[in-house]
Amino acid sequence: MRTTGKAALAAVAVLSIGLTGCSGDDTKPGAATSAGASGNASAGASAGASGGAGGATASGGSGSGSATTGGGPGTAASCLVGTWKADNLTGKLSGAVNGTFAGGGGTLLTIDSAGKTQVDFGPMQPVTFTFAVSGNDVKGSFGYSGTVNGAIKTPASASGTLEPTGSVDFSSLKVTVDLTAPAAVRVADKMPITEFTGTGTADTGGAVDAQPVLKKSQYDCAGTTLKLSPPQGGPDTGTWTFHKS
């Protein structure tokens, strides 16, 4: 059962104060931004609030499944062209926190030969996260909704660096976040990513990426499988695994 009222608000407030004190992510993407690699927030103080654990899950909205306008001229390797459905997103949280996150199946990625790209988070399944900070466990889940539109450029090879070209439109991207520990409470309900980034990102230990999928990544197309991973030397924002839809 979820905590409610003042108890829930107090728990979240303590968690926010504890985590954001050491947060290094103040990124606030606009309606259309130039998207590079996005870093995980670091967090590192005690989350002293306590509450009951609940079964909260994050839910996404619906969106179109085809690539639309957004971004500048680009080009995509032939193996990238088509519609891809996510199997999962997996990653590790490190730095001041130590934990993992996994989930996100169902997310749709569509790329055409000119590099036009759309990410549809409507069918996305929740991503669960867990991390420890100062001996306290923080657990929860999140899900994106809406679509992200842009364009990419890549080499012609089956693996290499994928980069957005021109602006990327994050204006319809929203996030829903539920905590199950130290308190069971919904802390964001289809909140625009521009409002959530910063304090909210720290509350999840950096599991919520302000620029998911459509950003600078290392790609690997192997038959009907596509993996998008953080660039070498960059922060771990998770690896997306897709299969050809």
Side-chain angles (χ1 to χ4, degrees):
M1 183 174 181
R2 291 172 183 261
T3 59
T4 57
K6 292 183 179 180
L9 293 175
V12 175
V14 172
L15 179 62
S16 297
I17 292 170
L19 293 177
T20 56
C22 294
S23 172
D25 184 358
D26 293 321
T27 306
K28 291 188 177 293
T33 66
S34 177
S38 163
N40 281 334
S42 296
S46 172
S50 62
T57 57
S59 59
S62 60
S64 170
S66 59
T68 61
T69 58
T75 182
S78 59
C79 69
L80 289 169
V81 175
T83 298
W84 302 85
K85 186 175 183 178
D87 294 323
N88 54 58
L89 164 69
T90 58
K92 292 183 178 181
L93 301 171
S94 59
V97 301
N98 183 21
T100 60
F101 56 95
T107 301
L108 296 176
L109 169 65
T110 303
I111 304 172
D112 71 17
S113 58
K116 291 289 184 181
T117 301
Q118 182 182 81
V119 189
D120 178 8
F121 291 103
M124 178 183 178
Q125 297 299 309
V127 175
T128 58
F129 60 87
T130 179
F131 62 90
V133 53
S134 298
N136 295 281
D137 290 333
V138 180
K139 298 179 182 180
S141 65
F142 72 89
Y144 300 110
S145 59
T147 58
V148 173
N149 295 288
I152 62 168
K153 59 180 179 180
T154 73
S157 58
S159 62
T161 301
L162 175 154
E163 295 185 82
T165 176
S167 62
V168 177
D169 185 1
F170 291 96
S171 61
S172 74
L173 183 63
K174 296 178 173 62
V175 65
T176 296
V177 180
D178 290 296
L179 291 182
T180 56
V185 62
R186 175 159 288 186
V187 296
D189 190 4
K190 294 184 179 179
M191 180 181 291
I193 197 67
T194 51
E195 296 179 19
F196 183 81
T197 303
T199 300
T201 304
D203 289 348
T204 65
V208 174
D209 188 354
Q211 298 175 338
V213 183
L214 190 45
K215 61 181 180 182
K216 185 176 181 180
S217 306
Q218 293 297 118
Y219 74 90
D220 187 1
C221 294
T224 58
T225 301
L226 167 64
K227 289 190 176 183
L228 296 178
S229 307
Q232 291 184 354
D236 184 2
T237 51
T239 295
W240 287 88
T241 301
F242 296 86
H243 67 268
K244 207 65 171 280
S245 180

